[in-house]
Amino acid sequence: MKRKLIILTDPGQDQAAALLMILGAPQAFEVLGLVATAGNIDLGYTVKNCLKVLELADRADVPVYAGCPQPMTRGLVTAEHVHGPTGLDGPILPEPRATPASAHGVDFIIDTLRQAEPGTVTICSLSPLTNLAMALVKAPDIAARISEIVAMAGAYFEVGNITPSAEFNVYVDPEAARIVLDAGIPTILLPLDVTHQMLSTRSRLNAMRGIGNRCGVATAEMLEFSEAFDLNKYGWDGAPLHGPCVPAFMLEPDIFSGRQINVSVETRGQHTQGMTVADWWGITDLPKNAFWVRHGDADRYYGLLNRCLANLP
Ligand code: RIB
């Protein structure tokens, strides 16, 4: 049974790889639409970057909806220092033929969930959770209609990346993350704890480029741009590849391991805004509201990603 996906995304080279992975697995996913989030770069660029990735994969048929231009209560924090001034720097990608859909991304989420059979749509979140949280505030009835949320978000054992305590997607909109985690929706989180095990080493990027099609080459070139910041920061032999962990979990969950725990979001801390407090040892009796993925097999992960990319133009 194919998963119907609503994808929340602010590409970002790693998220471009995730989007291509999803499009390279048509036997597993039916993409209902992309909701562009303000995050890595401002909304104008994230809309355009969504369209560019779809054009690269020759999938201009997939609709793109612009979401909110900023987080629910805070100013927008972006990450040009990682992703470049357009948010998707690296190779020159084909200019998109398509234009974004006219509906607002929040309304697309609400209308799609209300029209679909309950429990048939998965929210695939690669970005800050602003638009899903806004949809839940505007239409609380949709919570019961969501099959599950699979999200790249959070950090605990691996600590933060945008601050010492917070992962970027949660840091940008901690109020949104709290609303989503409090909504009682089955949720799987792929935090830095696991994405930091998925390093894009030279041999892995060479294998990706060696696929030989335009999507494999472009993905390798995008990651070779965005890895520079992390290689310098961490001193590892590869950069963490965050976004594709989400589709990889949906495709082959046994690549990963974790446990159902309580995850709370700090929204007031002077030094801990956006921190995800993961009760890994079950110290509290707070509701176990998320499956927290802590480990993954990097070789299986990259092999799966490359097999999906090989299915594309
Ligand atoms: O913290 C990593 C995540 O934040 C990645 O998805 C990156 O694209 C940024 O959105």
Side-chain angles (χ1 to χ4, degrees), residues 10 12-15 40 83 126-128 152 161 167-169 192 242-243:
D10 56 326
Q13 292 85 350
D14 70 298
Q15 295 183 40
N40 281 319
H83 302 284
L126 307 171
S127 75
M152 193 277 134
N161 57 2
E167 179 275 322
F168 182 80
N169 286 336
L192 299 183
H242 309 288

Side-chain angles (χ1 to χ4, degrees), residues 29-51:
F29 302 121
E30 177 187 353
V31 180
L32 301 180
L34 275 53
V35 177
T37 306
N40 281 319
I41 197 79
D42 68 31
L43 185 64
Y45 273 116
T46 58
V47 169
K48 177 145 191 179
N49 293 347
C50 286
L51 294 167

Side-chain angles (χ1 to χ4, degrees), residues 11-12 16 19-20 23 34 36 44-60 62 64 85-100 214-215 218 222:
L19 295 173
L20 292 170
L23 296 170
L34 275 53
Y45 273 116
T46 58
V47 169
K48 177 145 191 179
N49 293 347
C50 286
L51 294 167
K52 281 186 167 184
V53 173
L54 292 170
E55 184 68 34
L56 178 70
D58 199 17
R59 289 299 309 275
V62 175
V64 175
T86 73
L88 200 62
D89 288 65
I92 303 295
L93 299 180
E95 278 304 307
R97 290 165 289 168
T99 56
R214 73 167 185 245
C215 288
M222 283 190 272

Side-chain angles (χ1 to χ4, degrees), residues 208-223:
M208 194 178 294
R209 181 185 289 273
I211 297 169
N213 59 358
R214 73 167 185 245
C215 288
V217 170
T219 303
E221 291 177 344
M222 283 190 272
L223 297 179

Side-chain angles (χ1 to χ4, degrees), residues 231-256:
L231 292 179
N232 180 57
K233 172 180 176 181
Y234 295 114
W236 297 335
D237 63 353
L241 183 53
H242 309 288
C245 284
V246 175
F249 183 91
M250 291 189 280
L251 287 167
E252 293 187 17
D254 64 351
I255 289 176
F256 302 95

